[in-house]
Amino acid sequence: MTRRHLAALILLAASLVATAGPATAHGFSSVVFADLTAPGPGVVRAELGLEYDLLVVSVADAEQDDPLFRAGTPAWEARDDDAMAAALAEHRESVLAYVADRFTVAAGGQDCTPSWDGSARIEQREGVPYAVIDVDHTCGEQAGAHRITSTLFPDDEDYVTGTTTVVTYTLDAGTGSAALDADRPSFSTAQPWTERFAEFFRLGAEHLLFGLDHILFLLAVIVGSRRLREIVLTATAFTVAHSITFILAATGLVHVPAAVVEPVIALSIAVVAGWHLWRIRERGAGAVDLGPATGPFGLDRAGWARIGVVLVFGLVHGLGFAGALGIDEPWSWTLLWSLLVFNVGIEAVQLGIIAVVFPVLALLRRRWPVVETWVTGAVAAGVGLMGTVWFAQRLLGA
């Protein structure tokens, strides 16, 4: 394929970039953390971690508490932990009213009574200040399993697309975890483990399916793979790599700031897509004969190098998957099995996309090789330009 042909592909792909969304592929979503324990008979303590600025804005809007907004916002902008905690303590009645209305604990079919002494601490999660507060729910002598409900965020905020509440609990002589969102806002400690795991599987599947940057990276991998064995080995390398860093991040052993992870993910999209364009230029549009096996598993040196690149970038994508749930603390050991199921959900969608797209490309390659070259080239050019734009935006903080 000539340079003129490549230029035509890039111009065609530029129309895709012209309509590209913002640099963030997941929208502004929030994660709430809730760790539930029983410090005494008839009492459930909920240690809640909430994004500080979102909490302040939401409380001020819902409770008409403008003084909290005026005190809390400058403290957040200055990243003054003590001032942020003091603002919450000074307006603890408004904060408790807002939180208690949207995060509830019930026992025996009756709501427990919440209380909070106003103490708070500020923690950093993925570079975002979180307010951590302990809300005690007095359930009295009510017997039976506990039901937890969370409808925290969004309220009237146009900029929040949704919230996932990640719950861990040691209650009712058992331990477990759950993920709550707008579709499934509540769960019971009597809920079977299969239902809890199904929720995390769905979250993982949705994260890959609606995470445009990961989808584009996968498309770049697929269009650049010419043999079935190559896509299998490449996908396996990506899976192994992101699973390793996902688990390391989920157990608090590795932490890389999102300011580093997100630009590198965008760069990985551009590099893997550009690699395919380079191979097209080297082989030419008419080079459709894959030829005999030239190395281990029938891959040449360039094919193995590409797999190595995908493996390295897969390590970074694993940190991105963990960051989707804000998982970067050692207490996440409690969530380990649920997080592994989250990862399985990611893999299920990945395999489904490969099973649909790769056979179509293989059919084109066999019957209409020139068309296949132009199709994969156009996809790679569009994906590569999109990744380049995102890389620049994320690097500059746009």
Side-chain angles (χ1 to χ4, degrees):
M1 181 170 281
T2 66
R3 292 181 180 177
R4 181 180 299 175
H5 289 143
L6 283 176
L9 283 176
I10 293 174
L11 287 174
L12 176 63
S15 62
L16 297 175
V17 180
T19 57
T24 176
H26 306 296
F28 180 16
S29 58
S30 181
V31 180
V32 171
F33 300 92
D35 187 21
L36 306 180
T37 56
V43 177
V44 174
R45 174 165 296 167
E47 180 186 273
L48 300 176
L50 310 103
E51 285 192 55
Y52 180 84
D53 60 327
L54 184 55
L55 175 62
V56 167
V57 171
S58 299
V59 171
D61 287 346
E63 303 298 322
Q64 288 79 49
D65 196 339
D66 291 335
L68 171 60
F69 181 81
R70 289 195 295 270
T73 301
W76 175 79
E77 292 174 346
R79 292 299 194 267
D80 187 332
D81 292 357
D82 291 338
M84 285 190 276
L88 295 179
E90 185 177 354
H91 300 270
R92 57 182 174 271
E93 292 182 1
S94 296
V95 174
L96 178 61
Y98 175 83
V99 172
D101 188 48
R102 292 160 179 81
F103 187 92
T104 62
V105 177
Q110 299 293 321
D111 287 342
C112 304
T113 302
S115 62
W116 174 51
D117 62 6
S119 60
R121 65 182 185 275
I122 306 300
E123 295 181 350
Q124 298 292 322
R125 292 182 179 270
E126 295 293 316
V128 177
Y130 265 71
V132 181
I133 63 176
D134 293 334
V135 180
D136 286 339
H137 297 79
T138 303
C139 304
E141 298 180 356
Q142 301 168 22
H146 290 84
R147 174 164 290 278
I148 316 301
T149 302
S150 178
T151 56
L152 287 161
F153 318 127
D155 294 301
D156 296 328
E157 304 95 342
D158 296 334
Y159 44 85
V160 181
T161 59
T163 295
T164 299
T165 300
V166 179
V167 181
T168 56
Y169 63 89
T170 302
L171 292 173
D172 304 328
T175 62
S177 57
L180 308 179
D181 57 19
D183 293 330
R184 297 180 65 89
S186 65
F187 82 101
S188 170
T189 54
Q191 183 181 30
W193 66 267
T194 52
E195 290 186 18
R196 296 197 303 270
F197 280 6
E199 293 170 1
F200 279 90
F201 180 92
R202 177 179 59 85
L203 282 175
E206 288 178 349
H207 178 68
L208 184 65
L209 190 60
F210 299 114
L212 185 55
D213 48 3
H214 300 301
I215 287 288
L216 291 183
F217 181 82
L218 183 59
L219 284 178
V221 168
I222 295 173
V223 299
S225 300
R226 299 181 61 80
R227 297 178 175 88
L228 178 60
R229 65 175 70 94
E230 184 174 352
I231 186 62
V232 169
L233 289 172
T234 306
T236 299
F238 180 64
T239 296
V240 170
H242 79 66
S243 296
I244 290 172
T245 48
F246 180 89
I247 293 173
L248 290 176
T251 53
L253 298 177
V254 171
H255 173 68
V256 180
V260 174
V261 172
E262 292 301 320
V264 175
I265 288 177
L267 179 63
S268 72
I269 297 170
V271 169
V272 175
W275 192 295
H276 180 56
L277 293 176
W278 174 78
R279 292 177 75 176
I280 289 177
R281 183 177 182 276
E282 290 295 307
R283 295 182 178 183
V288 296
D289 184 8
L290 299 182
T294 57
F297 295 97
L299 300 182
D300 56 16
R301 183 176 299 177
W304 280 108
R306 178 172 175 272
I307 289 176
V309 169
V310 170
L311 189 148
V312 171
F313 282 132
L315 295 173
V316 182
H317 279 253
L319 298 174
F321 289 137
L325 288 179
I327 301 300
D328 64 349
E329 296 294 335
W331 62 260
S332 296
W333 275 108
T334 308
L335 283 170
L336 183 58
W337 286 110
S338 297
L339 294 174
L340 290 176
V341 174
F342 177 89
N343 207 32
V344 170
I346 292 173
E347 297 313 316
V349 174
Q350 176 178 291
L351 292 175
I353 293 173
I354 292 174
V356 170
V357 176
F358 187 77
V360 174
L361 295 179
L363 180 63
L364 286 176
R365 185 177 300 123
R366 174 171 297 185
R367 295 192 177 183
W368 303 284
V370 175
V371 173
E372 184 271 342
T373 300
W374 277 95
V375 168
T376 60
V379 171
V383 169
L385 284 175
M386 189 87 75
T388 302
V389 170
W390 281 348
F391 174 68
Q393 289 178 330
R394 295 176 182 183
L395 196 64
L396 298 174

